[in-house]
Structure formats: C-alpha cells, structure tokens
Amino acid sequence: MSENKQEQKSKIATAIQVAKAVMSAFMGIRKKSDLENDAANLKPSQLIIGGIIGAMIFVVSILLLVNTIVD
C-alpha cells in the first residue's frame, strides 16, 4: 500500500512541468519521450488551465509591445 502512495506522489505534476508542456505545445517542439511522460503525469485540467494562462500572458505581452511601439 505504501508503494501505491509513493507512485501517486511521483505522478503529481509540478507547475514547472505544466508550463514546459504548454510552452512546448505553443511552439510545436517536443521530444516523444517528454510527450509520453507528460501524458502519464499531467491531468487534462492542468493543461487546460495552463494553456489559458499561457494564452493570456501571450496576448497581454503582445498588447504591451504594440502599445509601447505605437506611443
């Protein structure tokens, strides 16, 4: 039973792992081994939330860049 708990703890993804997966998905660059590891460890809800946050950061940074250039 303790092995099962350790396996569950090792499968919990960190915020950095989610950010890496989302950023590599935005760029379209990913190793197959990393993709398989992400598929095993990340939950779809983590990826959806990470994707929304990543898209918001991208849009805000583009808006700030355009406003800086135009002004």
Side-chain angles (χ1 to χ4, degrees), residues 7-69:
E7 287 178 16
Q8 287 178 348
K9 285 183 181 180
S10 67
K11 288 189 176 186
I12 296 173
T14 64
I16 294 174
Q17 288 174 323
V18 174
K20 280 180 162 179
V22 169
M23 287 177 22
S24 65
F26 280 172
M27 291 184 286
I29 302 170
R30 196 69 169 163
K31 286 195 275 184
K32 186 175 181 179
S33 61
D34 290 338
L35 177 65
E36 292 171 353
N37 188 24
D38 288 343
N41 293 334
L42 298 176
K43 296 178 184 177
S45 60
Q46 291 174 318
L47 293 174
I48 291 169
I49 292 169
I52 291 171
I53 292 171
M56 288 172 43
I57 291 171
F58 178 73
V59 168
V60 169
S61 65
I62 293 295
L63 288 173
L64 288 173
L65 178 67
V66 169
N67 283 335
T68 303
I69 293 172

